[in-house]
Amino acid sequence: MESTGAFPLGMVLREEMEARGWTEKDIEARCTDPVAVLAIGLVLAVYDPNLILDEHTAEALGQVFGVSAKLFLNIDHSYRQWCAETGKRVDDPHE
């Protein structure tokens, strides 16, 4: 994988989950919004720069991980911007 300054949000979330010893079930248990749970699952499953994180899902992620929603919005925006500028993307290591 080529080194970049930006990574897909799903990759960042999976690494953070791994560091905390969490599974997707742990995310579901920590998130009280069923719509956000579905959206978070999609973010974890798809490394698509065209999939834009919405503020509702970012807020849910912020609550789950105990950080600002802005952090997730910035990660998502940075990756999509890098993809648009370079025409590249970081491949999903789970494929």
Side-chain angles (χ1 to χ4, degrees):
M1 173 172 43
E2 183 176 325
S3 178
T4 70
F7 297 95
L9 180 57
M11 181 182 287
V12 174
L13 291 176
R14 286 201 178 277
E15 287 178 5
E16 186 60 30
M17 288 168 58
E18 185 177 318
R20 295 174 185 227
W22 290 2
T23 66
E24 287 187 45
K25 293 287 184 195
D26 294 311
I27 298 289
E28 291 173 14
R30 288 171 168 77
C31 185
T32 59
D33 182 342
V35 173
V37 167
L38 292 173
I40 291 168
L42 185 60
V43 168
L44 289 169
V46 179
Y47 287 16
D48 184 347
N50 298 315
L51 178 68
I52 299 171
L53 180 68
D54 63 29
E55 291 201 21
H56 180 82
T57 305
E59 286 291 334
L61 284 168
Q63 290 174 358
V64 167
F65 286 96
V67 297
S68 167
K70 189 75 172 162
L71 172 68
F72 298 108
L73 291 167
N74 287 341
I75 291 169
D76 181 59
H77 174 75
S78 294
Y79 176 65
R80 286 185 294 104
Q81 183 175 7
W82 177 83
C83 289
E85 290 172 358
T86 65
K88 298 178 183 179
R89 60 173 243 162
V90 176
D91 290 327
D92 182 349
H94 296 96
E95 289 181 340

